[in-house]
Amino acid sequence: MMEYKGYIGKVEVDDEAGILHGEVINIRDVITFEGTSVAELQKAFRESVDDYLEFCAQRGESPEKPFSGKFVVRLPADLHRKAYVQAKLTDKSLNGWITDVVKSALRDR
């Protein structure tokens, strides 16, 4: 994993071609990069993100932000009810309770 200006790149090895290639994984727009060494890959990653930001600026568009802090989760009705009840039992909103659960689950990562 690589990070630059809030954009996260995932890297894979292509043994047949002898290259490292990657893509930015935390936006819907497509940003890719590749290199034959770690240093070359890191440089290509930064250049690709910078090119994307420059392209957006030239078009007068806002670049896609990596995360807004909002996402929709669809749950089975029974699970939704259980989560809501658990949140109320701990004097939290459903959003606050889910945030705490996610933080706890990711603490060891």
Side-chain angles (χ1 to χ4, degrees), residues 25-38:
I25 60 171
N26 60 333
I27 61 172
R28 288 182 303 267
D29 286 336
V30 178
I31 303 174
T32 61
F33 50 96
E34 67 179 50
T36 57
S37 68
V38 173

Side-chain angles (χ1 to χ4, degrees), residues 75-89 94 97-98:
L75 301 172
D78 188 52
L79 186 56
H80 186 177
R81 181 187 61 78
K82 287 177 181 178
Y84 179 83
V85 168
Q86 187 61 40
K88 289 301 176 186
L89 289 173
L94 182 56
W97 183 80
I98 289 173

Side-chain angles (χ1 to χ4, degrees), residues 2-5 7-11 19-24 30-53:
M2 306 167 74
E3 187 169 352
Y4 178 65
K5 294 186 177 180
Y7 295 90
I8 297 173
K10 176 183 172 189
V11 178
I19 61 168
L20 303 164
H21 63 89
E23 67 177 309
V24 172
V30 178
I31 303 174
T32 61
F33 50 96
E34 67 179 50
T36 57
S37 68
V38 173
E40 191 175 299
L41 185 75
Q42 290 170 329
K43 182 176 185 269
F45 172 55
R46 290 188 301 271
E47 288 174 349
S48 291
V49 170
D50 288 340
D51 287 347
Y52 168 71
L53 296 173

Side-chain angles (χ1 to χ4, degrees), residues 51-88:
D51 287 347
Y52 168 71
L53 296 173
E54 183 179 327
F55 175 76
C56 290
Q58 288 174 352
R59 293 184 59 146
E61 300 173 354
S62 296
E64 189 177 339
K65 295 192 186 252
F67 291 100
S68 67
K70 298 177 186 178
F71 68 99
V72 176
V73 178
R74 294 188 188 349
L75 301 172
D78 188 52
L79 186 56
H80 186 177
R81 181 187 61 78
K82 287 177 181 178
Y84 179 83
V85 168
Q86 187 61 40
K88 289 301 176 186

